[in-house]
Amino acid sequence: MKHQLKREQQIDCDIETAWKFFSAPENLSKITPKDMNFIVRTKMKDEEIYKGMIIDYYVSPLLGIKTEWTTEITHVDRLRSFIDFQKKGPYKLWNHFHEFIPNEKGVLIKDTVDYELPLGFLGEIAHSLFVKNKLNHIFAYRFQVLEEMFNKRK
C-alpha cells in the first residue's frame, strides 16, 4: 500500500541559501538523526544538482543494520523544486518531492514523500508498528535542526 508523508517548514533565509543547502546531498547527514548513521558515499565536487544525478548512501534505519541506499534526481526546477527517487534501498517505492516557496518571511520548505514498503501485508504491519513512527521521528529531528540552523534569533 502506498503512503504519503507531508511536511512544511518556514525558514528564515533567501531562496539561494535554501536551495544551496537542501540540494547538496552532503547536508543530509546534518539533518538526519545520528542513530541512523547516514553517510553519503558519492563524492560530490561542489556541482549543482541535476536531473539524472545518482547519489549513493549508507543508512541504518533499523537496529543499526547498515543498508545501501541509491537515489536518482529525477526532476530539477532550479530554486523551485527537485525530486529524489530511490533506485535501491529499503523501500519498494520512495519518491521525495522537495519544494521551495519564497515569501516575505524567507522560504517555505514543503516535502511530499510517496513511499511503499516491500513484503506486502508484512510491510504494512511493519509500517504500523514502527516505520511510520520512525519517519515521523526523522522529520521531527530534521525540523528541530533546521529551526536551530535557520530560525534561531541571534
Side-chain angles (χ1 to χ4, degrees):
M1 171 185 270
K2 288 185 184 173
H3 301 277
Q4 189 173 75
L5 177 135
K6 288 186 171 198
R7 294 289 183 273
E8 291 186 4
Q9 185 170 7
Q10 180 67 44
I11 61 172
D12 185 11
C13 68
D14 60 79
I15 188 65
E16 287 281 350
T17 301
W19 180 261
K20 185 173 182 171
F21 181 83
F22 288 96
S23 66
E26 62 272 11
N27 287 329
L28 272 172
S29 59
K30 296 175 184 173
I31 60 174
T32 301
K34 303 299 177 227
D35 65 336
M36 295 200 55
N37 301 312
F38 192 90
I39 299 167
V40 180
R41 296 171 47 215
T42 302
K43 300 298 178 213
M44 299 290 146
K45 306 174 200 126
D46 286 333
E47 58 189 318
E48 180 125 345
I49 192 172
Y50 59 88
K51 183 178 177 181
M53 179 182 256
I54 303 290
I55 309 157
D56 294 311
Y57 314 92
Y58 284 128
V59 65
S60 301
L62 184 62
L63 304 172
I65 300 167
K66 189 191 299 188
T67 303
E68 292 183 7
W69 189 325
T70 300
T71 59
E72 178 179 1
I73 304 302
T74 59
H75 161 86
V76 176
D77 185 357
R78 191 174 187 289
L79 302 179
R80 291 194 178 107
S81 64
F82 69 91
I83 295 173
D84 63 84
F85 178 81
Q86 176 193 282
K87 291 184 67 78
K88 177 182 179 184
Y91 293 89
K92 182 177 178 181
L93 168 72
W94 179 272
N95 193 69
H96 186 172
F97 179 62
H98 305 256
E99 190 174 10
F100 306 88
I101 304 165
N103 58 38
E104 67 283 346
K105 296 177 184 174
V107 180
L108 178 64
I109 307 298
K110 292 176 135 187
D111 293 280
T112 303
V113 181
D114 293 307
Y115 66 99
E116 186 174 356
L117 296 168
L119 306 175
F121 82 94
L122 292 175
E124 286 308 301
I125 291 170
H127 183 261
S128 296
L129 292 176
F130 56 86
V131 173
K132 182 178 180 179
N133 289 339
K134 184 72 169 185
L135 286 173
N136 285 328
H137 167 70
I138 291 166
F139 276 84
Y141 178 88
R142 172 186 153 149
F143 187 94
Q144 286 304 118
V145 170
L146 293 172
E147 283 295 306
E148 289 287 321
M149 290 179 75
F150 291 99
N151 295 339
K152 195 168 191 172
R153 298 291 171 217
K154 295 178 176 147

